[in-house]
Amino acid sequence: MASDLQSAPSGSPAHSEPASTDPADTAFAAGLERVLVPEGWDLLQTLPPYVEADALKLGATLRAAGHDPELVSAVLTQSRLRAKGREKFGEFADRMLLTPRGLEQATRLPIAALHARRFLDAGVATIADLGCGIGGDAMAASALGLDVIAVDRDPVTVAVATMNLSAFPGSAAELGDAEAFDLDRVDGVWMDPARRTVRGPARRLHDPEEYSPPLSTVVRIARRLAERADGGAEPTSGFGPVGVKLGPGIEHVALPAGTETQWISWHGQVLEADCWFGPLATPGVSRSALVIGVDGAHLLTNAGAGAAVGDAAEGSSVPTGPLGDHLYEPDGAVIRAGLIGVLAAQLGNGAGASASASASASALTIDPTIAYLTTDTRVSTPFAHGYAVRDVMPFGMKRLSSYLREHRIGRLEIKKRGTAVEPEEVRRRLRPKRFGGESATLILTRIAGEQSVIVATPHRELGA
């Protein structure tokens, strides 16, 4: 095992991170080797649920019982990672092996299941997970009945993924690289390229050609799968069944033509953009937003939308008008997917309209560069947070202080868009608790180019 964990093949990358030479990573790999032997695994499984305050005492107890100090450190590290991993993997985390970087980059299990469902619905039975990381996506796909070949070029990661897939006899992890993988072994491919630098200070990569592997490699793999389906001839279907996870900030112009890209929001946080090729793409849809919250999952697409409606960045293609009685803050996935125009049409038609709804019925923006929408009627939508407008005024600290004092407003939610003013600085200067016990939401933004403050009440506080 030691030699396996210390060397990696050369060639094109197939993992979210290449093998690291960082001393901390080397020490982690050494500790992981101890966990992978029966004594280490058995000890890990006997540990109680991890509690940070009890960790030192538990470590001392284990060492006093005769366990090797390095093994104790390793199993406690895994126990801590499992506790943290419950946020993404639920109770499955309690039987997993994890790495700090792998856990940070892993897909949440419910979203990984959505990825797998695309393949199942397209009739795909066997997939390669090229760049499998710790195996989160491979586990979800396996649990739904797919056979998965999980490939990674980092030996430590492969060892971890092997353990995490051990409950699924039709799936396995192996050492390898993306472009050298034999596509004849599978029906489809899932990929999760590295989107961070690995040398120097860590930073996110926004150009998909800087990913590892780059998006152009994913496109070639999708075409190779299509060629195989067409008997080696020039593919008539364009792409085979391939999905790839991209950074949510990707520019629309970088997306391959003939694909569908879906931005996913998880309880208000935009996590990823997934690009789907061939039979995995929804016909007639190039961009969509999936908003997942406490009330379930909701899908918004550009199906049937004209360019003016479906390509809105911020509020640029939506008509601008005066602030109405209600303001709407679109979900980040809707904004990233360029579906502001589609949402505006729905809001203008009581949220029941199709994407091709007439512009005359559209909600309006309050500024051509700001993605806030406004209507005179209250509309319920899962794709935006709604607010009832109470007042509006030009931005100014003295004016705002006087207003809050007059209305006894001391409990504030402060939001901003399109202004350099920071909410916490405004709160510090206002010291609102001294004004009273009433509550309000302050929205710092631009209206027709002017810095303004909107005083509002969230729809959720108004009742039905």
Side-chain angles (χ1 to χ4, degrees), residues 67-275:
H67 295 289
D68 180 82
E70 292 185 0
L71 173 59
V72 171
S73 176
V75 296
L76 286 176
T77 295
Q78 282 299 314
S79 184
R80 176 176 54 80
L81 290 172
R82 283 178 169 184
K84 187 176 180 181
R86 272 184 160 267
E87 181 185 354
K88 289 188 173 183
F89 297 106
E91 62 184 19
F92 292 97
D94 296 339
R95 298 290 298 180
M96 293 176 67
L97 278 183
L98 301 166
T99 68
R101 186 178 292 119
L103 177 58
E104 178 186 355
Q105 297 175 354
T107 304
R108 293 173 183 272
L109 200 58
I111 295 177
L114 294 175
H115 298 162
R117 179 58 59 184
R118 289 259 186 172
F119 289 96
L120 286 169
D121 290 346
V124 173
T126 304
I127 66 170
D129 182 353
L130 302 181
C132 66
I134 60 176
D137 273 288
M139 286 174 59
S142 300
L144 290 177
L146 290 165
D147 290 338
V148 183
I149 303 173
V151 181
D152 204 288
R153 73 171 184 170
D154 175 39
V156 174
T157 303
V158 171
V160 170
T162 296
M163 291 297 296
N164 292 338
L165 291 172
S166 61
F168 305 103
S171 299
E174 62 183 48
L175 210 57
D177 63 78
E179 291 196 77
F181 183 80
D182 181 6
L183 295 177
D184 288 336
R185 301 171 63 191
V186 295
D187 304 321
V189 171
W190 169 255
M191 300 181 72
D192 184 0
R195 296 178 297 280
R196 292 180 176 86
T197 55
V198 295
R199 293 182 176 84
R203 62 179 179 86
R204 294 183 184 274
L205 300 171
H206 298 289
D207 180 356
E209 286 308 299
E210 292 184 344
Y211 292 179
S212 179
L215 183 55
S216 56
T217 295
V218 181
V219 172
R220 285 197 297 272
I221 289 173
R223 286 179 174 151
R224 284 166 54 198
L225 279 176
E227 290 172 2
R228 187 191 65 186
D230 292 332
E234 185 71 22
T236 58
S237 55
F239 298 121
V242 171
V244 59
K245 184 160 75 172
L246 308 171
I250 189 169
E251 297 288 343
H252 293 181
V253 295
L255 300 172
T259 62
E260 175 195 357
T261 301
Q262 182 173 94
W263 282 258
I264 298 180
S265 169
W266 175 266
H267 298 275
Q269 180 184 5
V270 184
L271 296 181
E272 60 188 63
D274 300 324
C275 187

Side-chain angles (χ1 to χ4, degrees), residues 398-415:
K398 289 185 177 180
R399 181 184 294 107
L400 188 53
S401 292
S402 297
Y403 181 92
L404 297 178
R405 181 180 297 106
E406 177 184 353
H407 293 84
R408 301 181 181 278
I409 298 173
R411 295 185 292 119
L412 294 179
E413 176 189 32
I414 305 177
K415 306 180 73 67

Side-chain angles (χ1 to χ4, degrees), residues 1-12:
M1 179 64 75
S3 60
D4 289 342
L5 294 183
Q6 292 171 6
S7 62
S10 59
S12 302

Side-chain angles (χ1 to χ4, degrees), residues 397-398 400-402 404-405 408-411 426-437:
M397 295 302 298
K398 289 185 177 180
L400 188 53
S401 292
S402 297
L404 297 178
R405 181 180 297 106
R408 301 181 181 278
I409 298 173
R411 295 185 292 119
V426 171
R427 186 184 302 277
R428 186 189 67 79
R429 293 175 62 186
L430 286 174
R431 295 182 290 124
K433 291 182 180 180
R434 60 194 167 122
F435 297 136

